[in-house]
Amino acid sequence: MDKVAILGGGPSAFYVASRLLSRVPADRNRNLAVHMFDRLWSPHGLVRYGVAPDHPEVKNCTHKFDELAKDARFRYFGNVQVGPASGRPIPHVVRLPFDEIPRSYTHLVLAPGCPIPTTHPALPLSSRVIPALDLVHWYTQHPTHPHAPPLDGARHVTIIGQGNVALDVARMLLTSPDVLATYDVPLSVLEGLRTSAVEHVSIVGRRGPLQAAFTTKEARELMTISDASMALLDPVLLVPSADTKLSRQQTRVLDLLRKGSTTKSGTTKKTWSLDFFRAPTGIQESESRLRLSLAHTTLDAGLRAVATGATSALETDLVVTALGQQLDPSTPFYDDATRRIPVNASGNVLHPSGRPFKNVYASGWAAMGARGVLASTMINAYNVADNLAASLLGSDSLSPNFEEIMEKDVDPAPPALVREELEKGNVMSYEDWKIIDAEEVRKGAEMGKERERMGWEGAKAFLAASKTRA
Amino acid sequence: MCCRLRLKTFPPAARHGGIKRPAPGTGIKVHFKDSKGNHVKTIEGNEGDDLLSLAHEHDIDLEGACERSVACSTCHVIISPEHYDLLPEPEDDENDMLDMAFGLSDTSRLGCQVYLTKELDGMTATLPAATRNMFVDGHKPTHH
């Protein structure tokens, strides 16, 4: 039989599984099993633990994943960490040695994503210098449970980085908790936001408006928050040099920035600013405040940020670094040079010799880098799944010069450890997840909101109780 | 939030799964082509049907990850220029999503926002090129 292990349970993993199962007819002679392992107990990765609560539409993609999970050939094993992991640990996770996978499966797809926040060399992390991912994990109640950010003492927040995560965090800090209350924001988080002292959010980038990584949609959302206004930008920043050829997105972003926020500067208590051409060079922490040193920058011919020599200091209370995310270096096949899982155009993982591993693939951010929107993740996953399906159906054209690690003859069951832990209720199946999902939505509805999230212990207890009742 | 309101303002017949096929020969014709320009299928729809729902009804490979809420670009299609000009201008939210679409052209639209009218009869909707190396091709080194 063909037995595929997918490591990771985010959108890339689900799009691979979905495409694979649709490409391989269920009635073909050889059996196919697709087993997905996620270190998080609940499925859908960044859709649950990354997408901002006020973007519920983006989460509609999970309906497709729910459909896929009805395919009897598919199984989900949540709360299982395959191989080692660095970063903040999940205490209740079931650990499966990586060696079990090549021994028990004929094919492997690695889709672990990029769970490690990129830090800034001049900004050592502390209780008041935190990665944006900690904030995101706080408002999504991620199983790694970071501390709640110290918002009650933070009148001025500085976000380093100008990508969509930076803007998500800014929006969460600036939007009225009453507006957020109807979304999937946990009650404890709403409480934290209600006691927040935040009055200004500075969003700092080392390059200019044309290089900023945020998308038009996210910028527009920040512009239209009802009770926060953008500090006026220096108009010089918004006039591109005559020889600059603007992309469609750049033209539209510039238009948006020229118009400014819908509530005008000076009319609201809460404000925010886009601080272009500033690069942090150091931070001094005192009892009361933080003093962030900034180098002023300009662009060189290659559009890199270079220091002009001018500097300034910014008094702030909380620094949030939103500088992107990286693959966990303890991931199997991790390549130091690229900090990714090296792959060829078909998604086959490459051996350091350059030869592909037979039947081993990688998809999503782990292979491609932490960038792009859901559509790009989907297209990449479909490419990988199409190549995997071709290999299953015997029509692939991989050269015989490959490395081989996967077993050829396996039995259909998941590894023994996973079976045992599943029986003890320490591993989450997709069916169990759907019970929790329904309960979260039911609880939310009682409170007039999209859902109220459960943590692992609550979910486990609820499942145990519902099985006793049944 | 405009997206949700917009969804509600359109006729329920256009919602996914709610498509009613017109009697053959009586509907508004749309030709679907793949990214290489090969003819995939010619289908017929009713006034008010949107291209994404029609594609799903007729098993054409067009995704709709956000289910017509204008929060993704997975249903991006390229419209024949003479028909594109007949369509109402895209709203800001659709343009914001098109900014991120792959293989964007001057006549690109989100399929979920193209509603059939009689004058669109004979329109072509081409699925954009999604090359396997899109990440590599699209990759510019960043210096953050």
Side-chain angles (χ1 to χ4, degrees):
Chain A
M1 73 171 302
D2 294 316
K3 193 174 164 206
V4 181
I6 302 180
L7 305 189
S12 183
F14 272 93
Y15 277 125
V16 167
S18 152
R19 180 74 152 208
L20 181 61
L21 290 167
S22 75
R23 282 289 184 266
V24 180
D27 57 356
R28 68 191 265 268
N29 292 333
R30 292 192 71 185
N31 291 323
L32 171 65
V34 177
H35 291 176
M36 185 182 286
F37 298 89
D38 195 340
R39 79 190 180 108
L40 306 181
W41 61 269
S42 58
H44 310 150
L46 282 181
V47 178
R48 179 167 165 96
Y49 294 112
V51 170
D54 58 345
H55 288 168
E57 316 83 27
V58 177
K59 300 178 185 171
N60 284 345
C61 63
T62 58
H63 299 152
K64 186 185 180 99
F65 306 156
D66 286 347
E67 283 307 305
L68 133 82
K70 291 176 188 162
D71 191 312
R73 298 172 291 173
F74 174 82
R75 292 184 76 180
Y76 172 81
F77 303 108
N79 197 43
V80 179
Q81 167 72 49
V82 179
S86 38
R88 196 179 276 117
I90 300 172
H92 48 75
V93 81
V94 170
R95 294 171 194 281
L96 183 72
F98 176 74
D99 293 351
E100 288 281 339
I101 297 295
R103 204 181 294 155
S104 320
Y105 291 85
T106 61
H107 295 73
L108 167 62
V109 180
L110 295 120
C114 287
I116 309 287
T118 305
T119 51
H120 193 290
L123 303 173
L125 299 180
S126 73
S127 62
R128 287 184 289 172
V129 181
I130 61 174
L133 199 61
D134 276 11
L135 246 150
V136 172
H137 284 172
W138 168 65
Y139 66 62
T140 57
Q141 281 190 352
H142 190 269
T144 53
H145 286 301
H147 290 296
L151 298 180
D152 51 350
R155 269 179 46 224
H156 186 287
V157 177
T158 305
I159 302 176
I160 310 296
Q162 295 185 327
N164 281 341
V165 174
L167 268 56
D168 275 348
V169 166
R171 215 171 57 252
M172 285 299 287
L173 296 180
L174 292 164
T175 302
S176 158
D178 292 339
V179 172
L180 295 174
T182 60
Y183 294 110
D184 175 13
V185 184
L187 288 181
S188 62
V189 173
L190 284 172
E191 201 44 51
L193 290 170
R194 285 188 203 285
T195 55
S196 154
V198 176
E199 286 178 8
H200 182 84
V201 178
S202 276
I203 308 164
V204 176
R206 57 195 271 179
R207 298 193 291 164
L210 298 183
Q211 291 77 39
F214 57 71
T215 59
T216 335
K217 176 194 176 179
E218 298 267 340
R220 186 185 307 285
E221 286 174 328
L222 210 44
M223 294 288 184
T224 51
I225 296 177
S226 61
D227 43 10
S229 55
M230 181 178 77
L232 292 178
L233 282 166
D234 181 351
V236 173
L237 287 172
L238 304 176
V239 182
S241 63
D243 56 343
T244 312
K245 195 170 174 333
L246 297 180
S247 72
R248 170 199 159 101
Q249 180 164 0
Q250 287 172 324
T251 306
R252 300 187 70 247
V253 164
L254 278 189
D255 281 346
L256 199 56
L257 295 180
R258 280 191 203 106
K259 281 185 198 139
S261 55
T262 45
T263 37
K264 290 302 159 201
S265 175
T267 64
T268 57
K269 188 177 176 206
K270 286 187 180 180
T271 55
W272 56 279
S273 58
L274 286 167
D275 300 353
F276 294 111
F277 295 113
R278 296 287 181 274
T281 53
I283 191 159
Q284 283 175 284
E285 297 204 32
S286 74
E287 199 69 357
S288 53
R289 298 204 88 180
L290 304 173
R291 189 178 165 86
L292 187 65
S293 306
L294 296 169
H296 297 200
T297 54
T298 186
L299 297 179
D300 70 7
L303 298 180
R304 293 164 190 261
V306 287
T308 63
T311 60
S312 56
L314 186 61
E315 298 279 334
T316 191
D317 303 305
L318 177 66
V319 172
V320 179
T321 54
L323 299 163
Q325 288 166 235
Q326 295 176 11
L327 177 60
D328 182 341
S330 55
T331 308
F333 310 103
Y334 179 83
D335 173 48
D336 270 322
T338 58
R339 298 185 198 166
R340 295 183 188 174
I341 299 176
V343 290
N344 63 17
S346 313
N348 276 100
V349 173
L350 298 174
H351 186 269
S353 67
R355 285 192 300 275
F357 283 99
K358 188 178 167 70
N359 298 343
V360 181
Y361 300 80
S363 74
W365 282 4
M368 299 298 152
R371 56 198 305 277
V373 291
L374 193 66
S376 34
T377 292
M378 184 191 82
I379 292 169
N380 165 257
Y382 283 2
N383 174 45
V384 173
D386 285 349
N387 289 315
L388 174 48
S391 134
L392 294 182
L393 298 169
S395 56
D396 67 328
S397 54
L398 191 65
S399 75
N401 191 15
F402 47 68
E403 300 283 333
E404 210 160 352
I405 55 165
M406 303 303 290
E407 198 55 64
K408 290 195 181 75
D409 197 15
V410 295
D411 75 73
L417 174 73
V418 174
R419 272 200 319 269
E420 289 159 17
E421 296 294 334
L422 191 63
E423 264 170 43
K424 289 187 222 158
N426 293 328
V427 172
M428 180 77 63
S429 69
Y430 208 87
E431 297 69 38
D432 284 351
W433 156 248
K434 289 309 294 175
I435 294 170
I436 298 301
D437 183 34
E439 173 62 9
E440 288 187 347
V441 171
R442 188 196 66 76
K443 272 167 104 176
E446 278 182 3
M447 305 172 190
K449 57 193 293 218
E450 193 185 320
R451 74 167 65 224
E452 181 62 21
R453 292 184 177 221
M454 294 168 87
W456 166 251
E457 296 304 333
K460 205 177 146 176
F462 184 81
L463 286 173
S466 65
K467 276 166 194 167
T468 314
R469 280 197 300 274
Chain B
M1 296 324 306
C2 52
C3 328
R4 287 189 168 178
L5 292 174
R6 276 172 75 192
L7 258 184
K8 283 180 191 152
T9 59
F10 281 99
R15 300 295 300 271
H16 175 46
I19 290 279
K20 272 195 189 142
R21 296 193 186 202
T26 66
I28 300 161
K29 280 199 180 57
V30 181
H31 313 290
F32 279 93
K33 288 187 176 177
D34 69 16
S35 55
K36 296 187 184 94
N38 301 319
H39 182 255
V40 176
K41 210 175 252 186
T42 293
I43 57 106
E44 289 182 52
N46 292 309
E47 216 161 352
D49 289 350
D50 70 277
L51 285 186
L52 174 61
S53 302
L54 284 169
H56 283 182
E57 171 70 18
H58 294 274
D59 293 323
I60 292 162
D61 235 354
L62 189 63
E63 287 284 336
C66 77
E67 300 177 351
R68 306 178 60 251
S69 56
V70 200
C72 75
S73 53
T74 54
C75 68
H76 169 210
V77 289
I78 296 162
I79 305 292
S80 36
E82 64 273 28
H83 297 100
Y84 177 88
D85 292 337
L86 299 172
L87 297 171
E89 290 277 315
E91 306 271 345
D92 281 343
D93 57 353
E94 183 184 349
N95 272 324
D96 290 352
M97 291 302 123
L98 287 171
D99 277 355
M100 291 176 274
F102 288 92
L104 191 73
S105 83
D106 290 340
T107 64
S108 286
R109 292 297 300 259
L110 294 185
C112 70
Q113 297 303 302
V114 176
Y115 293 89
L116 291 193
T117 58
K118 288 205 173 76
E119 53 184 351
L120 293 175
D121 188 51
M123 170 169 66
T124 300
T126 304
L127 308 183
T131 69
R132 54 170 45 185
N133 289 325
M134 47 167 288
F135 280 91
V136 179
D137 296 343
H139 182 71
K140 290 187 207 95
T142 50
H143 304 287
H144 287 290

